[in-house]
Amino acid sequence: MAVISIERMGLLSVFCVCLFFNSAFAVDRGNFKTCDQSSFCKRQRVLKPGQSPYRALLETLELSDSRLTLQLINDNNKVHLLLELYRLQGNMTRVKINELKPLKPRFEVPDVLIAEPPTEPLSVLSKDDNGIVLSLGAESQRLIVSARPFRLDIMEGPEVLLSLNSRGLLAFEHLHLRKDTQAQSDGAEVKESVDGDQQQDEGEKDEDGQSDKEEDGLWEETFKSHTDTKPNGPTSISLDFSLPGVEHVYGIPEHADDLKLKTTDGGDPYRLYNLDVFQYELYNPMALYGSIPVMLAHNTQRTMGIFWLNAAETWVDISSNTAGKTVFGKMLDFVQGSSEKPQTDIRWISESGIIDVFIMLGPKPSDVFSQYASLTGTQSFPPLASLGYHQCRWNYNDQEDVKSVDQGFDQHDIPYDFIWLDIEHADGKRYFTWDPHKFSQPKEMLQGLMDKRRKMVAIVDPHIKVDSGYKIHSEITSKDFYVKNKDGRNYEGWCWPGNSGYPDFTIPEMRAWWASMFAYDQYEGSMENLFTWNDMNEPSVFNGPEVTMHKDALHGKWEHREIHNIYGLYVQMATAEGQIQRSGGVERPFVLTRAFFAGSQRFGAVWTGDNAAEWGHLKISIPMCLSLGLVGVSFCGADIGGFFKNPSTELLVRWYQTGAYQPFFRAHAHLDTTRREPWLFGPENTALIREVIRQRYALLPYWYQLFFQAYRTGMPVMRPLWVDYPKDTATFTIDDEFLIGSDLLVHPVTEEGSRGVTAYLPGAGEVWYDVHTFQKHNGAQNLYIPVTLSSIPVFQRGGSIIPRKDRVRRSSACMENDPYTLYVALSPKKFAEGKLYIDDGHSFNYDAKKEFIHRSLTFANNALTSSNLCPDCNFLTSSWIEKVIILGASKPSKVVLKMDGKETPVDFEFDSSMSVLTLRKPGMNAGDDWTLLLQ
């Protein structure tokens, strides 16, 4: 929420608005740096491949059970680096590079890894003057260290899987003292580094070909009106990776771009730097609100991942020897046989810190997901209600407005679970408070929602109004928990309340205090059905450089430049912990965040930020969420209808149809937009929106099972087709359709005035069933689908079983004990399988007490069977199986339920025109063992 309504701000805030925001509701790219305006990026990009000064000193090799260490030397300046190699459990390799003897410690990112990764022994297979060969154990994998120039190659058999520094772009700007210009001119002084090697004098060039005197931005850098003092000088790092045989790479969110990452030759690299960018542009590599430095590489043989653990500003260059070829050139390769093996080269450039990279070797997509999850954790298992529909805008005016909107959903028979309050609900934007006039009885409001088994989310942002009468500010000040400026005073900047302080969430004690503020006796007016939204946590500073915090601000001994991209993660972490603590550790939290980093998936949901009511923004929501899912964050969505501007009725309906099949399903809008509750666009459009929201609620059992799987395994909930069809090259660039789990394929309509879409149905020999008509289609084809405004093309995979609850009520909690309908879609071999997961929907008892039901559903040999996947689990449900619909069936002579040693006949109907068999009211409890026999 990054554009301000003038009438709601004081005069000082208006000054802020005029200075820093474009009233045209479009991003001002001049507010944000390009690589050429970021001195370290520009400096690093000057380096040319093939001129590496780094050499491995093989005589320094030391090998223990858990790691190998080796010194590297830069032959230009004689600075020594320390290389550490680890073979990790689960087919991963970790590479760390740091200065051997830095002037002071360099920052290493804490709190992102869930634990120190377990290692496996490395062994030396051979060694000579040119290098060493190490065994990586699995499947003839070897790691080759070449000495001059330094290079690492990971091989499997004769194939090179991945190379480090093969292009010679390793660059490590070592910490050194700034030269005294006057002393140098007198010839009086030459500084020494702690390793005893003389530093260059003012005219001598560093490893990057620049000198302190010649290159602007080494010790101080100015962008627009802001100057970044750099007391540590230049500290950037860079490393290149080569991926032979790879043409397709994905990940490194967040960018409003295609799923498949583009080459960056001739343009800016992809930037990872959490920023408050309002109404962002599409299809460019600009930084947005979150940064996850994880990239996936995929071809028909293997999927791999690279995790660059660095929280500073980072740029990622991508080159490909197959990029830029004309169609004729590619045809010529096909006819003549290309002698050039495809290859993608990646270069990571970060402003500071160390090189700490995890190479995840797959080989299957699911392996990479589990490897990354073993490092940073899985998606948190959300409360079931949070998978329902969320109604939000900036802002619902007062308690009467909330009550009226709530009643509107009932009057129009539209289910929802959460209604949201933005910044205007608080008293003068003092978070943890309520406006005394507009929200004077918050508990009464919350109780009214609770009576209908509904919930609320209120915003709590991490900028705190500087006001001595405000409890939160006073306590943070007294505990000395604010971020400091470079002079050691509390850092202050402008945000929604005006002059604001920024809590230092890197301090564990600060996070613990913040969490304690969510206790019911601290957060006055809060109840157990109030949850939290963390916005503006990049952090957003309206009068800061690039609308964020100054890099030379201080978090204890570390500059903000070191930790910038994990600030938002810490905010969400502390907020989620507060929700857990307030319930005595019993209840699952729900926290939405805008800024995020690797590991943020452990703490809740994200959304794609301040989008616009434009067709392009609807379309881009698909690859944006797919990219997040690939790197661990499954709980993703976009503002339904667009945050800025007013959508056409057609766009709004299409956005609901798309959002209903994305993990996080929330409508949200800017303060200055017209109201857009679902019933305000005429009866016909209300009916269309109602129908797709009801489709979402019917599918909640399936969504819930998928989030349980994501929590357990790291598998993304919403995923690209290539994840399940990794050898089908036709899927590798598709990002206008997607899979939900393995069993639902969705092709939203994202073009204005569409009369048809072409969906690719993958899987040679497979079949797909239209979920609305039950019509069967063969896989491995492009299928043209005529559409009307009521159409949302969705297909169920043949061979799957999906549980649904077709009795839709006002909220998910109201459906808790309702019966299930099983949709059994048979494969050509008359087989199908699926799972059913049930728990209480909100507590941690599934984990703490094993209170859940997890069942395997299998159709084979004309029998549908439910069996227990967790015999030592204990949970009772009142839900029962109301109906079974079998697609692609043959007509039986009779159907018998076999249960508890008894056989009972079951009524059925058969539609011969569609080959659909419907079994009515078989009546078994959803948690019991049973078999339905088709005879």
Side-chain angles (χ1 to χ4, degrees), residues 801 824 826-832 858-866 884 886-898 910 917 919 930-935:
I801 301 174
V824 182
L826 297 183
S827 70
K829 295 182 179 179
K830 303 296 182 184
F831 174 81
T858 306
F859 186 96
N861 302 316
N862 282 327
L864 176 62
T865 302
S866 174
V884 178
I886 304 175
L887 313 181
S890 302
K891 183 177 181 179
S893 58
K894 65 176 180 178
V895 178
V896 174
L897 171 63
K898 191 173 182 180
F910 183 71
L917 177 65
L919 314 181
W930 49 263
T931 298
L932 285 167
L933 299 171
L934 278 56
Q935 298 175 343

Side-chain angles (χ1 to χ4, degrees), residues 127-138:
K127 178 181 177 182
D128 60 23
D129 291 343
N130 298 314
I132 56 175
V133 180
L134 302 164
S135 171
L136 289 178

Side-chain angles (χ1 to χ4, degrees), residues 544-659:
E546 300 193 89
V547 202
T548 194
M549 188 172 285
H550 293 73
K551 287 182 175 179
D552 54 9
L554 294 173
H555 302 259
K557 66 179 181 180
W558 300 111
E559 288 186 287
H560 183 72
R561 82 182 72 251
E562 307 281 3
I563 67 96
H564 177 84
N565 285 346
I566 55 171
Y567 187 85
L569 175 145
Y570 278 131
V571 177
Q572 190 186 23
M573 174 195 292
T575 302
E577 182 58 31
Q579 287 189 11
I580 294 169
Q581 285 182 10
R582 73 180 185 180
S583 70
V586 173
E587 297 295 319
R588 284 177 250 169
F590 172 71
V591 183
L592 179 73
T593 182
R594 190 170 71 173
F596 51 83
F597 190 68
S600 287
Q601 68 272 10
R602 305 197 302 266
F603 308 112
V606 306
W607 92 107
T608 62
D610 296 343
N611 59 3
E614 298 172 0
W615 288 92
H617 280 262
L618 166 60
K619 189 172 185 177
I620 208 72
S621 71
I622 299 172
M624 289 181 78
C625 280
L626 288 174
S627 295
L628 280 160
L630 289 174
V631 297
V633 181
S634 274
F635 207 176
C636 169
D639 286 344
I640 304 297
F643 178 65
F644 290 110
K645 303 183 179 180
N646 296 304
S648 67
T649 299
E650 180 190 4
L651 175 57
L652 184 64
V653 169
R654 291 301 191 199
W655 213 317
Y656 268 101
Q657 292 170 344
T658 303

Side-chain angles (χ1 to χ4, degrees), residues 338-593:
S338 174
S339 60
E340 186 178 47
K341 184 177 183 180
Q343 178 167 305
T344 297
D345 297 313
I346 314 298
R347 186 184 183 198
W348 300 78
I349 304 167
S350 292
E351 184 177 15
S352 58
I354 70 166
I355 293 172
D356 189 0
V357 62
F358 297 82
I359 300 162
M360 300 169 284
L361 295 174
K364 300 190 298 293
S366 58
D367 295 325
V368 175
F369 300 138
S370 64
Q371 287 159 0
Y372 179 62
S374 75
L375 299 172
T376 67
T378 58
Q379 175 67 59
S380 61
F381 189 31
L384 174 60
S386 66
L387 302 180
Y389 174 61
H390 300 250
Q391 182 67 37
C392 182
R393 73 173 280 108
W394 175 25
N395 201 87
Y396 285 117
N397 300 326
D398 49 33
Q399 287 181 213
E400 282 304 310
D401 196 7
V402 170
K403 184 177 180 180
S404 175
V405 172
D406 177 69
Q407 290 173 344
F409 278 91
D410 293 336
Q411 291 164 5
H412 295 90
D413 194 24
I414 300 173
Y416 89 97
D417 269 87
F418 283 84
I419 190 165
W420 291 51
L421 294 179
D422 211 318
I423 57 175
E424 312 300 336
H425 84 278
D427 180 10
K429 302 176 182 64
R430 298 169 180 86
Y431 305 109
F432 298 99
T433 72
W434 304 86
D435 185 298
H437 305 293
K438 296 181 178 180
F439 294 93
S440 59
Q441 301 294 328
K443 284 193 174 182
E444 178 183 298
M445 175 179 62
L446 289 166
Q447 187 62 53
L449 294 171
M450 187 178 292
D451 291 344
K452 293 185 177 182
R453 306 187 75 177
R454 288 172 174 156
K455 309 178 195 307
M456 174 172 276
V457 171
I459 201 165
V460 177
D461 285 351
H463 50 263
I464 303 301
K465 183 177 181 64
V466 175
D467 175 359
S468 59
Y470 175 27
K471 181 183 79 169
I472 299 295
H473 169 69
S474 296
E475 292 202 22
I476 295 175
T477 302
S478 68
K479 296 175 185 296
D480 199 23
F481 281 162
Y482 276 126
V483 176
K484 308 301 180 187
N485 64 25
K486 66 180 186 293
D487 300 321
R489 297 188 302 272
N490 287 344
Y491 178 91
E492 293 181 1
W494 283 90
C495 208
W496 296 124
N499 198 34
S500 304
Y502 292 79
D504 189 351
F505 286 89
T506 68
I507 303 171
E509 293 80 7
M510 164 61 211
R511 297 198 299 272
W513 174 84
W514 180 268
S516 74
M517 290 298 100
F518 289 90
Y520 300 124
D521 61 350
Q522 294 291 331
Y523 189 170
E524 292 185 15
S526 66
M527 293 173 56
E528 59 264 34
N529 64 332
L530 180 67
F531 296 82
T532 312
W533 171 18
N534 293 147
D535 197 3
M536 317 296 287
N537 54 337
E538 292 74 28
S540 179
V541 183
F542 291 161
N543 61 337
E546 300 193 89
V547 202
T548 194
M549 188 172 285
H550 293 73
K551 287 182 175 179
D552 54 9
L554 294 173
H555 302 259
K557 66 179 181 180
W558 300 111
E559 288 186 287
H560 183 72
R561 82 182 72 251
E562 307 281 3
I563 67 96
H564 177 84
N565 285 346
I566 55 171
Y567 187 85
L569 175 145
Y570 278 131
V571 177
Q572 190 186 23
M573 174 195 292
T575 302
E577 182 58 31
Q579 287 189 11
I580 294 169
Q581 285 182 10
R582 73 180 185 180
S583 70
V586 173
E587 297 295 319
R588 284 177 250 169
F590 172 71
V591 183
L592 179 73
T593 182

Side-chain angles (χ1 to χ4, degrees), residues 413 415 693-694 697-698 805-810 815 818:
D413 194 24
I693 293 176
R694 288 173 67 87
Y697 275 80
K805 284 193 172 185
D806 287 338
R807 297 187 189 182
V808 176
R809 304 186 191 274
R810 64 158 57 114
M815 300 165 60
D818 282 349

